[in-house]
Amino acid sequence: MKIDLTDTTASKINKALVKGRRAIGTPAVGMVLTLVIVTDEENAYDALRAANDASREHPSRTLVVIKRVSRSPRDRTKSRLDAEVRVGADAGTGETVVLRLYGEVSDHAQSVVLPLLLPDAPVVVWWSVDAPRDPAGDPLGALGQRRVTDSYAAEKPVHELRSRAESYEPGDTDLAWARITPWRSMLAAALDQIDCEVVSVEVAGEESNPSVELLAMWLADRLHVHVRRAVSAGPGLTQVRLETTGGPITLHRSDGAMATLALPGQPDRAVALKRRETSELLAEELRRLDPDDTYASALRFGVDRLGGIPSATQRAEVSARGPESLPVRQKAPDPDPAPSARTSEPALPASPAADSDTGRPTPAQMPPVKKADSP
């Protein structure tokens, strides 16, 4: 059932929700959370479809916030709220309200969303595109216990990871992190099967896929070894190779569906490692509403601490931001170090007879220079 409301208010939307539930014969509210989706018209359909699929596991009230761009200065001064209320089969296993905000009200979306939140239920905010630099500081993000972004949808995914690390607050998470959950589980299980010590690691994947960086940072943070980030043709993550004292451990996936796990002294085995849909990733994030300390630790490890040759994207960022933006591992040594770095001899202390302007010894105070013997 769908109910369209034009130039409406939050109070009228709540009444429409009650009317819709009574019309389909389910007046009781059995939803476990409120999911707020912040998106645009172009991506609204895909985001809403993923939320409806995830609602089969997590029945929820879904509020889709779409900020419409006004065409003229006169329209930008007028505030209007249009809503589309969906209940029953059109809303998965919960309720859906699509909110379209026009004019000045688009700058105060939190005032529209707040009266529509389920009472005494957790709130999850998901930005399917164009996530703010500081999700916890965003007015809509401040309403949620959990804030979900997707750095893969950003224009510069690696730069997005740096921003996420700088602004991280407990409750922040990333769908790029959820994408590597099967990889992390498989690698942890592989290390439990053999008694060895990891010496170094190489992680390979698409150049603009932030999940590759997150997996590399997680391995470096947990294993305390050098991790090299390599670029491959994809799709997504393609290979992780761990050099150990007992031999190499390799997890390789070339088709995005099946992977091959190779352990020292054991036959190779095929494992399922399928690339998952957005709905599955979202459902995984909705299973836990507490802070993800493992994600926070891996994120704060830092992209710039990974080894390997910089990718084309990183080189473009360096070109735009200047050489000082290069990671420490990529900086060239100073061609002309300071005098104190070239010699280990201590500097002569200033004496009362020293030059009063510079503090250096006068020529009379300088030690005599010994002449070398003639050949």
Side-chain angles (χ1 to χ4, degrees):
M1 178 179 180
K2 295 182 181 180
I3 303 175
D4 291 326
L5 302 173
T6 304
D7 197 7
T8 185
T9 63
S11 176
K12 294 179 180 178
I13 295 173
N14 271 318
K15 291 179 181 178
L17 286 170
V18 175
K19 177 182 177 181
R21 287 198 299 267
R22 289 176 177 172
I24 63 176
T26 56
V29 178
M31 290 156 286
V32 298
L33 58 87
T34 301
L35 175 62
V36 180
I37 304 175
V38 186
T39 184
D40 54 18
E41 287 288 0
E42 181 181 357
N43 298 276
Y45 175 80
D46 292 334
L48 190 53
R49 181 180 177 181
N52 287 341
D53 291 343
S55 70
R56 295 188 177 94
E57 184 176 341
H58 309 278
S60 60
R61 173 177 289 180
T62 302
L63 306 177
V64 185
V65 179
I66 302 174
K67 299 179 181 180
R68 299 296 299 268
V69 179
S70 300
R71 296 181 179 273
S72 65
R74 180 181 299 176
D75 293 337
R76 284 193 286 269
T77 61
K78 298 179 181 179
S79 296
R80 195 181 90 202
L81 171 63
D82 295 344
E84 181 181 328
V85 179
R86 304 179 185 181
V87 293
D90 294 318
T93 59
E95 300 172 342
T96 299
V97 180
V98 181
L99 304 168
R100 290 181 172 87
L101 287 66
Y102 300 80
E104 294 180 350
V105 72
S106 61
D107 297 328
H108 306 279
Q110 72 280 3
S111 62
V112 178
V113 170
L114 186 60
L116 302 177
L117 301 178
L118 289 173
D120 302 324
V123 179
V124 179
V125 183
W126 171 35
W127 290 269
S128 64
V129 290
D130 299 331
R133 183 180 181 86
D134 182 8
D138 184 82
L140 280 173
L143 300 176
Q145 287 77 32
R146 192 79 163 165
R147 295 167 293 276
V148 184
T149 59
D150 190 358
S151 55
Y152 186 76
E155 184 178 355
K156 297 180 179 179
V158 176
H159 182 67
E160 191 76 6
L161 290 179
R162 296 192 185 100
S163 300
R164 293 286 162 263
E166 294 172 359
S167 62
Y168 175 82
E169 291 291 337
D172 292 353
T173 188
D174 192 336
L175 292 185
W177 174 254
R179 289 184 179 95
I180 64 173
T181 299
W183 286 81
R184 294 190 294 121
S185 301
M186 199 72 65
L187 292 171
L191 288 173
D192 286 341
Q193 297 182 39
I194 59 175
D195 185 12
C196 65
E197 181 179 348
V198 179
V199 178
S200 64
V201 181
E202 180 181 271
V203 181
E206 289 176 330
E207 179 178 337
S208 299
N209 193 322
S211 296
V212 185
E213 273 79 14
L214 282 171
L215 182 59
M217 290 189 290
W218 173 71
L219 288 168
D221 180 58
R222 291 294 158 180
L223 299 177
H224 304 288
V225 297
H226 174 76
V227 178
R228 180 179 181 273
R229 202 284 198 205
V231 178
S232 69
L237 270 161
T238 54
Q239 179 174 286
V240 177
R241 181 182 177 89
L242 292 82
E243 299 291 344
T244 73
T245 54
I249 299 175
T250 305
L251 182 60
H252 177 75
R253 183 186 69 180
S254 58
D255 59 357
M258 296 296 296
T260 301
L261 177 63
L263 298 175
Q266 300 183 21
D268 295 352
R269 65 193 74 173
V271 294
L273 210 57
K274 182 180 179 295
R275 303 187 73 189
R276 298 183 293 169
E277 300 291 336
T278 303
S279 58
E280 299 176 74
L281 303 175
L282 184 61
E284 177 183 326
E285 293 297 343
L286 295 179
R287 290 188 196 117
R288 56 176 304 171
L289 300 177
D290 57 319
D292 192 340
D293 296 332
T294 305
Y295 165 70
S297 181
L299 187 65
R300 287 170 174 165
F301 180 86
V303 177
D304 296 330
R305 295 175 63 184
L306 298 176
I309 301 174
S311 62
T313 302
Q314 292 171 324
R315 290 195 296 270
E317 290 183 8
V318 170
S319 176
R321 296 161 55 193
E324 64 276 2
S325 63
L326 277 169
V328 174
R329 70 176 188 273
Q330 297 171 359
K331 286 185 177 179
D334 191 348
D336 186 20
S340 59
R342 290 197 302 262
T343 178
S344 59
E345 296 180 4
L348 291 173
S351 64
D355 191 321
S356 59
D357 294 332
T358 63
R360 299 175 180 172
T362 60
Q365 297 292 329
M366 293 292 288
V369 178
K370 293 184 181 181
K371 297 181 178 179
D373 295 335
S374 301

